[in-house]
Amino acid sequence: GMADAVVREYKDVHLSDPGAESELRALVALSYLNLQRLPLAQEQLLGVQTPSAASQVVQAQVLLAQGQRKQALELLQNLTAEADAPWWSQRALGRTYTATGQPAKALVSVQRATELAPWHRGLRGEYAEALLGSGQTDAARAIH
C-alpha cells in the first residue's frame, strides 16, 4: 500500500553506490508495477548499471507483464544458478514456472527456496500447496 509514497519519494533520488542504486531502482520499478505503470517501471530499470538480484527479479516481472515469458524464465534461471542467489529469487522462479504452466519445475524451485529459508512460514505454505498440487499429500501434511 506504499507504492505511491515510494514513487513520490524516490523516483528521482540517485545513489552513488552502484549496488545501492540498483536496489533503489528495483524498489521504485516494483512500485510502478504495483501501480500498473509498466512504461515507468521499465524506465527505472534502464538506469541500472550493475544489476542486483532485486533488479533482475523486477526485470523478470516486467518481462512477464509484456508477455515475454521465455525471457523472464531465462533471466530467473540464470539468476538462481548463481551460488549466492537469494531465496526469494528461487521463489520468484517457482511462481514464474507456475504462471507458465510448469508445476513440476515450480515445485523444485519452491522446495529450494524453502530449504534456503526454512523459517519463512508463507514460503512453507507455498511449498505445501505445490506438494498438494503434485499429489504429494503425505509430504504436504509433514510441513508445519
Side-chain angles (χ1 to χ4, degrees), residues 50-118:
T50 305
S52 64
S55 68
Q56 291 177 70
V57 167
V58 175
Q59 179 63 45
Q61 291 177 314
V62 166
L63 290 167
L64 284 172
Q66 295 171 324
Q68 298 180 45
R69 293 177 171 188
K70 181 180 178 187
Q71 295 88 338
L73 276 172
E74 286 175 8
L75 179 61
L76 291 171
Q77 288 165 338
N78 290 338
L79 172 61
T80 57
E82 295 176 15
D84 62 345
W87 66 266
W88 43 265
S89 64
Q90 282 289 347
R91 184 186 208 181
L93 179 59
R95 288 178 172 182
T96 304
Y97 278 134
T98 298
T100 58
Q102 300 179 63
K105 289 182 178 181
L107 176 59
V108 170
S109 291
V110 76
Q111 179 181 7
R112 287 183 186 150
T114 303
E115 289 166 357
L116 292 169

Side-chain angles (χ1 to χ4, degrees), residues 2-24:
M2 298 294 294
D4 283 322
V6 169
V7 167
R8 266 193 318 277
E9 293 291 323
Y10 298 105
K11 69 179 173 140
D12 296 320
V13 172
H14 294 280
L15 305 173
S16 59
D17 177 84
E21 175 68 6
S22 177
E23 296 288 319
L24 182 58

